[in-house]
Amino acid sequence: MFRQVFRIGARVAFCAPVPTSQALLHSSSARTAVCVSRAVFPSSFAGIGQPRSYASSAPIVLKVPPMGDSITEGTIQKWMKAPGDSVQADELVAQVETDKVVVDIRAPTSGTIAGILANEGDTVLVGADLYTITPGAVASSAKPAAAPKPTEATSTKEKEVAPPKEAPKPAVAEPVRATAVAPASKPSPAPAAKPSLASPGERVEHRERMPKIRVRIAKRLKEAQNTYAMLTTFQEVDMSALMSLRAQFKDEFEKKHGVKLGFMSTFVKASVTALAEQPIINAVIDAEKDEIIHRSYYDISVAVAGPSGLVVPVLRDCGGKTFSQIEKEIAGFGKKARDGTLTIDEMTGGTFTISNGGVYGSLFGTPILNPPQSAILGMHAINKRPVVVNDQVVIRPMMYLALTYDHRIIDGKDAVTFLRRIKEIVEDPVRLLLD
């Protein structure tokens, strides 16, 4: 009898082929699995007796682990190990791409990969056989350590036999090998000839598999377009006061909190204030029951660009967060998005979304809703423009704001009032202090 251990990022799910654990094996909620595993095994697998958990050295079939709520399948993105390769406990074996994140598959114990049961590019279901491993001590790390020891033991003998070794030296085979390797490495630049495929005058096409996350994004955006009655309202904001405030305190802020002071934290705080005053913007329709769900909490989704597409991690309970907390979380999400290490939980939920196309120079645009939310705020680039202030034409740094909302639940009056409130707060940030 043995246990199978699957690691998904920070999650660990233990599955044992005994009746008491069947609920864990068939649980569709990764969160439930984590709770059960922690109750039984409070520490990581590395500290639980290690190989002795496996009664025999027979190959063990490891399955595709649960990868989060609503995720039933994934695509094998890459195998890090091949049959016959040694693997240490918790070492990365493969990566499975889902429509939300890329999940790391790690070895539950040290041993040898006995077989691969799915190829790269194959779609695998949760619970399907993935690979087999033969548990056992891996001496790969000990081998190189043992090699230098004999050399030390025979060092004196080698010194005595030093004269005979001088005879092989004239054999210039070693330099020949070096020169032979050099030209072998030179042809490596040959792949550089590939760009010639796109040489002038040629019409070249190539196909590549669409990443699952991009497929998911495409479906969700089209569903939003087909389901929601989307309408967009606009405002322009004078960024002078906020830019002045940032310039005055950015160095002190970064020194104290270890993170740069940006504009996003102010827009998040302004959105929370406006959502509290216009709660219908934070509500959502339950189409199956023809009901409106009102929410008293503010989980703000922040659009972040990742290598495979746009992702929207969620800032939880923004009503109680400080500027520094918001900036730190956004910076952390940005790094995780670039590294591809965002977890499913970090991208689940959200009651309102903020998208900042201005970082890419977007002057004006209409954001599309992030289902099932009812509204999304679009920020844009800051540009100096002539505006009228107190009957005088002056140059001010201006930004266009766009609010796309679901007209089925939100009236134009509520949307305009909401966006107007954000404009007032951003143009006079002191309002945030006066609540």
Side-chain angles (χ1 to χ4, degrees), residues 61-273:
V61 179
L62 298 180
K63 300 179 180 295
V64 179
M67 296 179 285
D69 297 338
S70 76
I71 296 182
T72 59
E73 65 179 25
T75 300
I76 304 297
Q77 187 181 67
K78 186 178 181 181
W79 282 104
M80 279 64 180
K81 296 292 182 178
D85 287 353
S86 298
V87 63
Q88 299 287 348
D90 200 36
E91 187 175 356
L92 186 62
V93 175
Q95 290 182 323
V96 178
E97 179 189 32
T98 72
D99 56 6
K100 293 182 179 179
V101 293
V102 175
V103 179
D104 290 340
I105 305 297
R106 297 183 179 277
T109 184
S110 300
T112 303
I113 302 298
I116 300 297
L117 306 180
N119 298 320
E120 291 184 0
D122 288 353
T123 298
V124 291
L125 299 175
V126 171
D129 295 345
L130 186 58
Y131 69 101
T132 57
I133 183 174
T134 302
V138 179
S140 59
S141 59
K143 288 179 181 178
K149 291 180 181 178
T151 57
E152 294 176 2
T154 57
S155 59
T156 56
K157 296 181 180 179
E158 290 178 354
K159 292 178 182 179
E160 296 175 359
V161 193
K165 287 187 177 179
E166 294 178 357
K169 288 181 181 178
V172 194
E174 294 180 358
V176 173
R177 290 174 187 172
T179 54
V181 174
S185 61
K186 290 179 181 177
S188 58
K194 290 182 179 179
S196 63
L197 296 175
S199 58
E202 292 187 12
R203 295 162 59 86
V204 179
E205 292 182 0
H206 75 280
R207 291 174 178 263
E208 62 180 8
R209 185 180 64 83
M210 197 171 181
K212 273 193 169 291
I213 188 172
R214 175 55 62 183
V215 173
R216 179 63 173 165
I217 290 172
K219 288 181 178 179
R220 284 174 61 84
L221 292 180
K222 192 57 184 174
E223 287 173 2
Q225 190 179 41
N226 294 340
T227 303
Y228 294 82
M230 288 187 288
L231 193 62
T232 305
T233 185
F234 303 93
Q235 278 285 355
E236 59 177 356
V237 182
D238 186 347
M239 298 289 291
S240 299
L242 185 56
M243 292 178 69
S244 176
L245 183 68
R246 178 175 179 272
Q248 182 179 356
F249 295 106
K250 65 177 183 179
D251 293 336
E252 184 178 348
F253 185 91
E254 183 175 3
K255 182 179 180 180
K256 180 177 180 179
H257 301 291
V259 65
K260 293 182 179 180
L261 176 62
F263 297 132
M264 282 297 296
S265 54
T266 301
F267 277 93
V268 169
K269 297 288 286 184
S271 296
V272 169
T273 299

Side-chain angles (χ1 to χ4, degrees), residues 4-9 11-15 22-34 62-74 96 98 101 103-105 124-128 130 344:
Q4 296 178 9
V5 186
F6 302 112
R7 291 179 178 269
I8 314 174
R11 298 182 185 161
V12 182
F14 293 77
C15 303
Q22 292 303 315
L24 176 58
L25 283 170
H26 298 287
S27 172
S28 60
S29 173
R31 202 169 295 167
T32 302
V34 172
L62 298 180
K63 300 179 180 295
V64 179
M67 296 179 285
D69 297 338
S70 76
I71 296 182
T72 59
E73 65 179 25
V96 178
T98 72
V101 293
V103 179
D104 290 340
I105 305 297
V124 291
L125 299 175
V126 171
L130 186 58
I344 296 172

Side-chain angles (χ1 to χ4, degrees), residues 314-350:
V314 182
L315 299 168
R316 310 285 179 186
D317 298 318
C318 291
K321 279 186 166 62
T322 63
F323 284 83
S324 60
Q325 290 175 327
I326 293 173
E327 292 292 354
K328 286 179 181 178
E329 286 194 37
I330 292 176
F333 285 150
K335 184 180 185 303
K336 286 186 175 182
R338 290 189 297 272
D339 297 341
T341 57
L342 280 171
T343 65
I344 296 172
D345 286 342
E346 289 173 328
M347 295 188 291
T348 302

